[in-house]
Amino acid sequence: VGITGTGGAGKSSLIDEIALRFLRDYPEKRLAILCCDPTRKRTSGALLGDRLRINSASNSRVYMRSFATREHAGEISGAVGDALSVLRACNFDLIITETAGAGQSDAAIVPLVDVALYVMTPEYGAASQLEKIGMLDFADLICINKFDRSGAVDALHDVRKQYQRNHHLFERPLEEMPVFGAIASRFNDDGVAALYHALLQLVNERC
């Protein structure tokens, strides 16, 4: 599973919630998490902040590794492809890869994963800005996180409409578009639960 999205959208918190549910529901399975954070051009350093948010990584059935993007201009490290190959060979039951904060056109994670999840917030500007988000073409699932913010319900409608247009799904109702409103910071959030079950269904279908 590849999880990408804008910086500050809450990707790490969402991963932690997904991981907690997976570990609870499948006590015999193992999980691997790869996270990428951007390297600053000025100092060549990187704050691997995902470790501050993903508390589930302390579980003995979880392997977590952080990467800096280094010389790569995009949102993933050049080592991620090889790292995924190693984890597949180690027979982890689920592998989650998080990118650094992505811009409007970054979709580098898509060829490396079986399921792509795009995380955003309601604050994307005018509805016309959705035309510029390339991941709405490629994402299998979309999460509008921080759904308790102003304008979230309108954002859900607009993103579903954009997904419907991008994927030519005009014969299906908007409610069937794989776009979910969620609050990852809220305990046992219903939106996160719905996204989690849709994610596992896609993984089971494709793997």
Side-chain angles (χ1 to χ4, degrees):
V1 175
I3 298 182
T4 187
T6 52
K11 297 185 297 296
S12 299
S13 297
L14 186 63
I15 289 172
D16 192 42
E17 287 297 310
I18 291 171
L20 288 170
R21 285 166 170 77
F22 181 80
L23 294 169
R24 177 198 63 201
D25 293 346
Y26 302 98
E28 76 287 359
K29 294 187 182 297
R30 298 186 304 143
L31 169 68
I33 303 172
L34 301 181
C35 297
C36 297
D37 272 314
T39 298
R40 297 183 64 182
K41 291 184 179 180
R42 184 175 181 182
T43 63
S44 298
L47 173 64
L48 304 180
D50 306 284
R51 303 182 188 199
L52 302 175
R53 300 286 186 185
I54 304 179
N55 300 310
S56 56
S58 60
N59 190 292
S60 61
R61 292 185 286 126
V62 177
Y63 171 81
M64 181 176 174
R65 178 72 161 82
S66 300
F67 293 91
T69 54
R70 302 282 181 191
E71 71 275 7
H72 284 256
E75 75 270 25
I76 61 172
S77 164
V80 165
D82 289 339
L84 287 173
S85 296
V86 171
L87 293 176
R88 287 189 179 101
C90 292
N91 292 321
F92 278 92
D93 297 288
L94 181 65
I95 304 169
I96 297 175
T97 305
E98 179 198 9
T99 75
Q104 291 176 323
S105 60
D106 292 323
I109 193 64
V110 174
L112 302 178
V113 299
D114 299 301
V115 177
L117 166 62
Y118 180 69
V119 184
M120 58 189 295
T121 66
E123 298 92 358
Y124 51 78
S128 59
Q129 293 295 317
L130 296 174
E131 293 281 356
K132 304 178 184 180
I133 301 177
M135 273 303 296
L136 296 187
D137 289 329
F138 300 107
D140 300 294
L141 300 166
I142 299 166
C143 175
I144 303 177
N145 195 25
K146 306 184 180 181
F147 201 66
D148 51 343
R149 293 187 176 181
S150 176
V153 174
D154 291 336
L156 180 64
H157 177 269
D158 290 344
V159 174
R160 282 175 170 171
K161 287 283 289 184
Q162 189 66 48
Y163 188 95
Q164 186 185 56
R165 280 196 297 270
N166 288 9
H167 295 266
H168 305 288
L169 297 173
F170 302 108
E171 74 286 355
R172 291 172 53 188
L174 283 181
E175 292 74 18
E176 292 184 7
M177 298 303 109
V179 183
F180 300 83
I183 307 172
S185 60
R186 177 185 291 172
F187 174 74
N188 207 25
D189 180 64
D190 290 340
V192 174
L195 174 65
Y196 165 74
H197 290 298
L199 177 64
L200 286 192
Q201 181 177 342
L202 266 180
V203 169
N204 287 327
E205 289 174 359
R206 297 184 178 183
C207 302

